[in-house]
Amino acid sequence: MEKPTSDEKVLAALAHASVLFAFFGPVGPTLIWAFQRNKSKYVRFHALQAMGYQALTFWAWFIGIFFAVFGGIVISIIIAAISNIETTDMSVFPFIVQPIIMLSIFGLFGLFFLVGIIGAVFCMLDRDFNYPIIGRWLKGKLFGEQIREEETEEWEDNWVSGICHSTAILQLWGIVTPLIVWFTQKERSAKLRFQALQAAIYQLIAFAAYIIGTVAYMAFIFIMIFGLMIFSGSPTSPNSELSPAAGIISMLFFAILMIFWLIIMIAMPIYYLLAGAASILTIRGKNFKYPIIGGIISSRITPQKVEEIIQS
């Protein structure tokens, strides 16, 4: 890549510095990439780096927190066993588990922001900066000396498609990134258009299901409490016994609650696993389709575009 101008250094630094707003997903570097990809190879590279870092790091953080919680519980049990603390005495556990979890959360977030800020400073100082693993991989795949522009664009589309799917880890705000890609790149690449639209609709359906489920859950609790108040023998008396109808309502209430939480425990891992699989497969160049959603979107695109997607 040629020596960057001062404007290019500023834009590249902004792509990295937008890590401070990464709770909205990699929106900042995506916008910079979309409007600068044909103007500056330097900005293009750093924006693509920042997009990947800000999206994929959330997956690492999510997995890290899971292991931190699990590890905290295991350490608490081991300490309790070594100290001959009765397992029934759980009062000591929060003092061990909570600091581990909090240190993990703030430590990982601090490191996450710090690396992005370092990238911004390096760009302003005109120094070479690559994120661990993804930086050199991107440079080799997209800007290697032996790489043709057609190959660069193909790898770039694969990378951005994977980023679009990976933002499913973020509730609601993850939708913004694939929408930006779809609106700005839909005329350039049929493949990228298809994957970005898939990712946006997939996340939108999941968010709508979350809102509907939450409203239905709250309404159900209200109805059950209201029903118990009606069928209770004497709700104002603390010693009153529940009527048979109130007992049935209580059993029904807890049964439905158990079913509700069981559905959540099954649906959420499937949601994240599908998005993770979509991200990995599209980065590797596969034409991933979500169940049902992919077929519906394909049927809405013109036959010519579908043929382009299949051949790409």
Side-chain angles (χ1 to χ4, degrees):
M1 288 183 283
E2 298 179 357
K3 187 175 180 62
T5 64
S6 58
D7 288 344
E8 288 175 327
K9 287 188 286 187
V10 169
L11 287 170
L14 285 174
H16 293 297
S18 64
V19 70
L20 296 174
F21 305 99
F23 293 104
F24 299 102
V27 174
T30 301
L31 284 169
I32 292 172
W33 168 80
F35 292 104
Q36 293 294 317
R37 66 175 304 276
N38 292 325
K39 299 178 182 179
S40 169
K41 185 176 287 189
Y42 178 82
V43 176
R44 179 182 180 185
F45 167 66
H46 283 283
L48 286 169
Q49 272 203 103
M51 286 169 65
Y53 176 72
Q54 294 179 25
L56 300 179
T57 303
F58 270 97
W59 287 87
W61 176 82
F62 183 78
I63 296 170
I65 294 301
F66 172 79
F67 281 107
V69 173
F70 181 76
I73 295 173
V74 171
I75 291 172
S76 298
I77 294 173
I78 293 173
I79 292 175
I82 294 174
S83 304
N84 295 320
I85 300 174
E86 294 291 335
T87 55
T88 54
D89 183 12
M90 303 295 290
S91 59
V92 72
F93 284 11
F95 296 100
I96 300 172
V97 176
Q98 189 171 355
I100 293 174
I101 295 173
M102 296 306 292
L103 284 173
S104 299
I105 292 173
F106 289 106
L108 288 172
F109 265 124
L111 181 63
F112 172 59
F113 293 136
L114 179 63
V115 174
I117 296 302
I118 291 174
V121 173
F122 271 48
C123 287
M124 291 301 298
L125 296 176
D126 195 17
R127 295 182 60 182
D128 188 40
F129 177 78
N130 298 301
Y131 285 109
I133 303 175
I134 64 174
R136 295 189 183 281
W137 181 85
L138 270 175
K139 185 174 289 186
K141 291 293 185 183
L142 300 178
F143 304 108
E145 294 181 358
Q146 305 300 322
I147 304 296
R148 295 175 300 167
E149 183 60 28
E150 295 80 9
E151 294 177 303
T152 295
E153 293 220 356
E154 182 180 354
W155 275 106
E156 185 177 28
D157 287 349
N158 293 340
W159 178 252
V160 177
S161 296
I163 300 303
C164 290
H165 291 296
S166 70
T167 58
I169 195 73
L170 302 169
Q171 278 286 356
L172 179 60
W173 296 111
I175 302 173
V176 178
T177 298
L179 284 178
I180 290 173
V181 173
W182 185 78
F183 278 115
T184 60
Q185 305 297 310
K186 62 181 181 179
E187 299 302 327
R188 184 184 67 82
S189 170
K191 181 178 182 178
L192 185 53
R193 173 193 183 188
F194 174 70
Q195 295 297 340
L197 186 58
Q198 263 201 122
I201 293 176
Y202 181 67
Q203 295 179 39
L204 184 62
I205 291 173
F207 181 71
Y210 170 77
I211 294 298
I212 293 170
T214 301
V215 172
Y217 179 73
M218 298 302 294
F220 171 72
I221 290 178
F222 175 78
I223 291 171
M224 284 294 133
I225 293 175
F226 185 70
L228 286 173
M229 291 175 62
I230 292 176
F231 291 103
S232 294
S234 178
T236 58
S237 175
N239 298 322
S240 61
E241 295 183 0
L242 292 177
S243 65
I248 293 173
I249 291 175
S250 297
M251 292 176 62
L252 181 64
F253 174 74
F254 287 110
I256 294 177
L257 279 184
M258 291 293 290
I259 294 172
F260 178 82
W261 285 109
L262 180 62
I263 292 173
I264 291 179
M265 290 175 64
I266 294 173
M268 286 190 66
I270 291 175
Y271 170 72
Y272 290 125
L273 284 172
L274 267 178
S279 180
I280 293 170
L281 290 173
T282 50
I283 287 175
R284 295 180 63 184
K286 306 295 183 181
N287 185 38
F288 180 85
K289 286 186 180 182
Y290 285 110
I292 303 175
I293 297 173
I296 293 175
I297 295 174
S298 295
S299 66
R300 297 295 187 272
I301 302 176
T302 62
Q304 181 182 358
K305 293 294 184 183
V306 173
E307 186 65 26
E308 289 181 37
I309 293 170
I310 293 173
Q311 292 178 356
S312 60

